[in-house]
Amino acid sequence: MSKNFYITTPIYYPSAKPHMGHAYSSIVSDFFARFKRNDGYSVQFLTGTDEHGLKIQRSAEKNNMKPKDFCDQISKTFENLSKTLNLSNTDFIRTTEQRHIKSVQHLWKILEDQNQIYMSKYEGWYSVSDEAFYQPDEIESKENKHFVISSGSPVEWVEEESFFFKLSEWEKPLLKFYDENPKFILPEGRRNEVISFVKNGLKDLSVSRKTFSWGIKIPSNNDHIIYVWLDALTNYLSALNYPNTKDELYKNFWPADVHIIGKDILRFHAIYWPAFLMAAKLPLPKRVYGHGWILSGDEKMSKSKGNILDPLEIIDVYGLDTLRYYLLKEVSFGNDGNISQEKLESCINSDLANNYGNLCQRVLAFCEKNCGSKIPTSDFINDDLEILKNFENLEYLRDLIDNQNINDYMKFIIDMLFSSNKYFNDQEPWKKKNDKNRLNTIVYTALDLIRKISILLNPVIPDTTLKVLKIFDINDDKLKFEDIDNHKFLESGKNIGKLNILFKKIEND
Ligand code: MSP
């Protein structure tokens, strides 16, 4: 079995500064990347910015800047955000880079060679904010203005000469592919939406624009630029040094294991992308997961609605790990979720401070007083083995991750935190001062539970868990998921490091 894993975030439009929705796609992807790395995989984790198209050209014009200068500036804020979010991405791609331009032009030529492209004229609706063409039945009109029913985005009428991709030829092969790969699109509800859309019939897709110039030129016709979605989707290949299919990166990591995206861009990833790849005779990604939106109130965040939650502000007040924990635990993955101050604070107080923080603090304080801050000896009895054995089913946890079941994974951790605190209470080591062997074993078991839970929590709150694991001398390189079923991992007699308070409770008057 290959121990390589390739995961991607969507590449973000640098049309305005990043918001919580972007942070969400990235944090979720980082969670999976970190879990897989801890589980011994070699991981490629890609993020970046999607810099061509009319949307960006117009944003640059509004700011009186040249598109490339404008992108340089805003792309930097996305790159900085990746660092602020502590993403473990292995690459950051910009679609204005030469490696990407080369890759897109190559893919275009292959599509031409495969007789998949023809010249015609496009007449229809186009939404600049979605960068998408829409059919008349997807549009509604209000006061002489026209909008996309599903996204509410304004559309404009476009009539221009355009190259088309023979998408209609791929209707049946796509349906067959979905049928044979029932988990290609997750969650299931979204899969059904895509299938019914395709069953309604696919029209050929306009894949070039002529009336503006901010994009990648078509090699055989410099009057046209390539449609921004064909350009953008190809980033997933460009970062693996496509078109050099003999390159190690490409050989080891394509096809991607999972593209993490928001539900609004499912059509592009689950229909157009596999169709382009099939037409180019390239392997298809193994999964596309369409997550829900982070809502501000009841609405999707967007610049035009002016309801943007700034991740940097939240991180400033509550800390990064709190935000990461909140998004992974409180949002039911696949569905929409929202952020409220009240829920954030309750996450800190009840889960992070009272549950995880408290377990670490009380066990360590007890160990310091009664075991001289050394790992004690252990002589397990049934009570200990019963709680430890919860960590023996590694396949169960791996399976949750491979099905992107973040919520059950988090539930497992929270249950284990409760059980561990309860174990320590029920065992009452403070009453065992006359039975040193039993006292030692309880402390050993509790320390080991802290170690196991910290390993599981590491992809969620990397900074905090590394502080905890450091007391056992486990750093990033030594941290292995598979060690959680080893109940004798900690070496008796070894010193335990010091730990400061992990999360301060928030007291409101
Ligand atoms: N550039 C395209 C993606 C190209 S991928 C080949 C794009 N960019 S975007 O910046 O508009 O959005 C990027 C991602 O952020 C999308 O997955 C989108 O769903 C996600 N989010 C944007 N707003 C969001 C929320 N309010 N909540 C959660 N995610 C949302 O689309």
Side-chain angles (χ1 to χ4, degrees):
M1 207 187 84
S2 113
K3 277 289 226 179
N4 295 326
F5 184 77
Y6 182 29
I7 182 163
T8 64
T9 74
I11 48 170
Y12 305 107
Y13 290 127
S15 51
K17 68 181 178 109
H19 60 63
M20 193 58 75
H22 305 128
Y24 182 62
S25 288
S26 289
I27 288 174
V28 161
S29 308
D30 186 57
F31 162 79
F32 291 117
R34 284 178 183 273
F35 180 92
K36 283 291 185 181
R37 218 173 273 126
N38 292 349
D39 198 19
Y41 283 73
S42 164
V43 173
Q44 281 295 315
F45 169 23
L46 178 68
T47 187
T49 41
D50 180 0
E51 307 191 0
H52 291 129
L54 201 46
K55 178 175 169 121
I56 302 294
Q57 183 173 311
R58 285 190 185 160
S59 302
E61 280 160 7
K62 261 197 206 140
N63 286 276
N64 291 320
M65 286 176 86
K66 288 200 183 116
K68 179 64 170 57
D69 295 341
F70 180 72
C71 289
D72 285 348
Q73 194 180 354
I74 304 207
S75 175
K76 200 80 215 147
T77 64
F78 278 90
E79 216 174 332
N80 291 341
L81 181 73
S82 306
K83 296 191 182 110
T84 311
L85 298 177
N86 196 6
L87 301 189
S88 60
N89 56 303
T90 49
D91 198 350
F92 185 98
I93 193 161
R94 299 183 53 189
T95 55
T96 46
E97 287 175 64
Q98 271 313 315
R99 60 171 170 163
H100 175 70
I101 294 170
K102 194 172 98 186
S103 150
V104 173
Q105 289 184 327
H106 185 88
L107 183 64
W108 176 276
K109 279 191 71 189
I110 301 230
L111 294 175
E112 269 181 353
D113 294 347
Q114 296 293 329
N115 194 24
Q116 287 293 315
I117 303 273
Y118 64 92
M119 166 84 87
S120 183
K121 187 175 173 200
Y122 180 77
E123 276 186 352
W125 296 108
Y126 190 78
S127 156
V128 176
S129 86
D130 300 354
E131 293 286 21
F133 302 95
Y134 287 101
Q135 299 300 322
D137 61 355
E138 296 178 283
I139 303 300
E140 62 184 352
S141 305
K142 279 185 225 150
E143 294 158 6
N144 258 339
K145 290 199 175 106
H146 310 281
F147 303 89
V148 182
I149 298 171
S150 56
S151 65
S153 308
V155 284
E156 43 199 77
W157 186 256
V158 170
E159 279 187 29
E160 68 187 43
E161 179 189 84
S162 168
F163 286 101
F164 280 75
F165 168 70
K166 294 181 182 168
L167 183 63
S168 56
E169 279 190 1
W170 297 98
E171 191 179 309
K172 286 212 170 67
L174 279 170
L175 290 170
K176 182 163 174 276
F177 177 74
Y178 302 145
D179 194 46
E180 288 168 356
N181 297 277
K183 289 186 173 179
F184 171 64
I185 304 166
L186 283 183
E188 205 174 318
R190 303 247 146 76
R191 169 176 192 265
N192 298 337
E193 281 165 29
V194 169
I195 292 178
S196 65
F197 184 85
V198 176
K199 278 191 176 154
N200 269 337
L202 292 177
K203 296 214 165 45
D204 289 349
L205 180 71
S206 163
V207 282
S208 78
R209 299 294 309 262
K210 203 183 171 181
T211 44
F212 65 95
S213 59
W214 182 236
I216 299 179
K217 288 201 160 53
I218 287 176
S220 54
N221 185 330
N222 278 346
D223 293 341
H224 288 253
I225 56 163
I226 295 173
Y227 173 41
V228 64
W229 270 101
L230 174 51
D231 165 344
L233 288 160
T234 310
N235 90 88
Y236 302 132
L237 289 172
S238 314
L240 302 180
N241 294 333
Y242 180 83
N244 183 0
T245 51
K246 297 212 166 60
D247 188 276
E248 286 302 310
L249 272 180
Y250 180 88
K251 277 198 313 199
N252 290 333
F253 293 99
W254 192 258
D257 290 273
V258 55
H259 295 312
I260 299 287
I261 56 162
K263 61 182 182 181
D264 49 328
I265 55 173
L266 195 59
R267 192 183 290 188
F268 306 97
H269 283 81
I271 302 175
Y272 301 169
W273 183 223
F276 295 147
L277 291 167
M278 280 183 187
K281 300 195 177 353
L282 288 167
L284 270 51
K286 293 176 208 156
R287 175 151 315 151
V288 171
Y289 193 103
H291 65 65
W293 288 337
I294 304 299
L295 306 175
S296 178
D298 289 331
E299 287 191 310
K300 182 175 183 240
M301 271 171 278
S302 75
K303 199 175 131 205
S304 52
K305 289 185 186 133
N307 59 358
I308 291 183
L309 271 174
D310 185 342
L312 298 180
E313 281 172 23
I314 295 195
I315 293 169
D316 242 15
V317 180
Y318 297 102
L320 170 66
D321 276 356
T322 302
L323 174 66
R324 292 179 61 115
Y325 184 89
Y326 181 94
L327 291 174
L328 291 163
K329 186 217 159 194
E330 288 293 328
V331 180
S332 149
F333 193 51
N335 298 319
D336 293 347
N338 55 28
I339 292 204
S340 75
Q341 188 176 347
E342 200 186 328
K343 281 204 269 170
L344 252 169
E345 293 183 357
S346 118
C347 248
I348 302 182
N349 287 351
S350 55
D351 288 19
L352 295 170
N354 277 356
N355 221 349
Y356 182 53
N358 185 41
L359 178 71
C360 295
Q361 241 76 46
R362 66 195 293 217
V363 172
L364 284 170
F366 188 85
C367 175
E368 188 177 341
K369 260 203 188 142
N370 298 281
C371 313
S373 284
K374 285 194 194 315
I375 312 252
T377 51
S378 61
D379 182 8
F380 298 137
I381 60 169
N382 264 347
D383 285 3
D384 317 317
L385 291 170
E386 206 172 295
I387 185 158
L388 292 172
K389 78 168 191 274
N390 285 301
F391 295 86
E392 287 170 8
N393 195 349
L394 302 190
E395 284 319 307
Y396 167 71
L397 294 165
R398 288 185 173 122
D399 209 55
L400 293 180
I401 296 295
D402 289 340
N403 286 291
Q404 286 76 44
N405 189 345
I406 300 181
N407 298 93
D408 283 348
Y409 180 86
M410 293 303 290
K411 184 174 176 314
F412 177 82
I413 294 179
I414 293 163
D415 286 351
M416 287 306 111
L417 278 170
F418 273 111
S419 309
S420 303
N421 271 313
K422 182 168 182 323
Y423 165 85
F424 203 64
N425 279 341
D426 292 354
Q427 293 297 321
E428 301 181 311
W430 44 90
K431 290 191 184 163
K432 306 274 165 23
K433 299 218 168 137
N434 293 329
D435 184 355
K436 200 68 186 161
N437 187 43
R438 188 63 203 136
L439 180 146
N440 280 347
T441 303
I442 297 167
V443 175
Y444 184 100
T445 307
L447 288 170
D448 196 44
L449 290 168
I450 293 175
R451 176 186 70 90
K452 292 173 195 299
I453 292 172
S454 299
I455 292 177
L456 292 180
L457 266 178
N458 175 262
V460 185
I461 48 172
D463 269 352
T464 312
T465 49
L466 281 177
K467 279 186 208 152
V468 176
L469 290 167
K470 198 164 160 241
I471 65 169
F472 303 122
D473 200 23
I474 301 173
N475 57 27
D476 226 349
D477 305 336
K478 288 201 219 151
L479 192 162
K480 288 200 189 104
F481 167 70
E482 65 181 18
D483 287 339
I484 67 163
D485 70 353
N486 178 357
H487 313 318
K488 288 281 187 183
F489 183 92
L490 295 175
E491 270 175 62
S492 304
K494 254 183 111 174
N495 282 329
I496 301 178
K498 284 241 172 279
L499 189 66
N500 292 327
I501 297 263
L502 297 176
F503 296 95
K504 280 208 189 80
K505 275 181 84 162
I506 298 186
E507 317 274 358
N508 283 326
D509 319 319

